[in-house]
Amino acid sequence: MKKRLDIFYDKEFLKTREAVIDIPIIKETIKILKQKKYNMVVATNPIFPKKAILHRIKWAGFDPEDFMHITSYEESHYCKPKIQFYEEILKKINKIPEECMMVGNNVEEDLIAGELGIKTYLIEDFIINSSNTNFISTYKGNYNDFYKFVNNLPDLND
């Protein structure tokens, strides 16, 4: 089965690239976070193999090396919105919740991280709230707001 999946992710899956939207301000935002020496994690729901997630990261215009950890089904034992998903990431990156922030657009899957004490930033562009859930987020805004937020973060180089 692994061989068949590898062939799929090396060939057929590549067709899904057409669905990727280029968002230049997010590229610039990640560039600023890198320059300021913030550690970043791709905490995507680990329902794909690492190979597929690496394709998605590159399609979005990023280098996988920019991230200290990338979730995938080979290494993760839980999926969003299980709180254990975030606990496992914290353990792997050797961080405590107060040192981290979860940034995402899914109310149910991303903001659950706040229950551990992780700060949350809800991106309201393309927001997913399929259950119409009332939510609490430490911060919220659109891509432009997040860009401004990142610009105002302290530089960790100092």
Side-chain angles (χ1 to χ4, degrees):
M1 187 56 127
K2 183 179 180 333
K3 184 176 178 180
R4 290 177 69 188
L5 283 173
D6 281 343
I7 291 169
F8 171 78
Y9 283 109
D10 285 337
K11 295 183 182 184
E12 296 302 314
F13 182 75
L14 301 179
K15 294 175 186 175
T16 65
R17 186 189 194 298
E18 297 170 15
V20 175
I21 299 169
D22 185 35
I23 305 172
I25 197 158
I26 291 299
K27 289 181 192 170
E28 185 61 27
T29 303
I30 296 296
K31 181 179 172 185
I32 293 166
L33 286 167
K34 283 175 42 182
Q35 289 170 345
K36 290 185 174 192
K37 299 295 184 206
Y38 282 87
N39 291 315
M40 293 176 286
V41 170
V42 175
T44 190
N45 220 349
I47 57 173
F48 295 103
K50 189 146 203 170
K51 177 183 288 202
I53 295 167
L54 293 177
H55 286 313
R56 292 173 56 205
I57 289 168
K58 291 174 188 171
W59 296 341
F62 303 113
D63 183 344
E65 298 299 316
D66 294 339
F67 305 97
M68 68 181 303
H69 180 68
I70 300 169
T71 58
S72 65
Y73 73 41
E74 293 93 341
E75 298 175 18
S76 300
H77 298 91
Y78 302 95
C79 285
K80 297 177 185 180
K82 296 283 188 193
I83 201 78
Q84 295 94 332
F85 171 77
Y86 295 100
E87 290 172 334
E88 186 171 53
I89 292 171
L90 289 170
K91 186 175 180 180
K92 285 187 178 189
I93 65 171
N94 197 29
K95 298 286 182 188
I96 60 172
E98 294 77 18
E99 296 176 298
C100 301
M101 178 179 291
M102 176 61 192
V103 179
N105 69 324
N106 190 307
V107 170
E108 293 90 4
E109 294 185 0
D110 299 329
L111 299 185
I112 190 87
E115 291 185 15
L116 289 172
I118 297 172
K119 292 177 208 76
T120 56
Y121 195 113
L122 180 67
I123 300 290
E124 296 176 312
D125 297 293
F126 306 106
I127 192 170
I128 300 170
N129 189 0
S130 46
S131 304
N132 237 3
T133 304
N134 289 329
F135 60 88
I136 297 172
S137 183
T138 315
Y139 308 98
K140 63 181 178 174
N142 61 29
Y143 290 135
N144 289 322
D145 297 327
F146 185 59
Y147 173 80
K148 291 173 195 168
F149 176 84
V150 165
N151 268 306
N152 289 317
L153 288 173
D155 191 326
L156 299 180
N157 290 310
D158 299 335

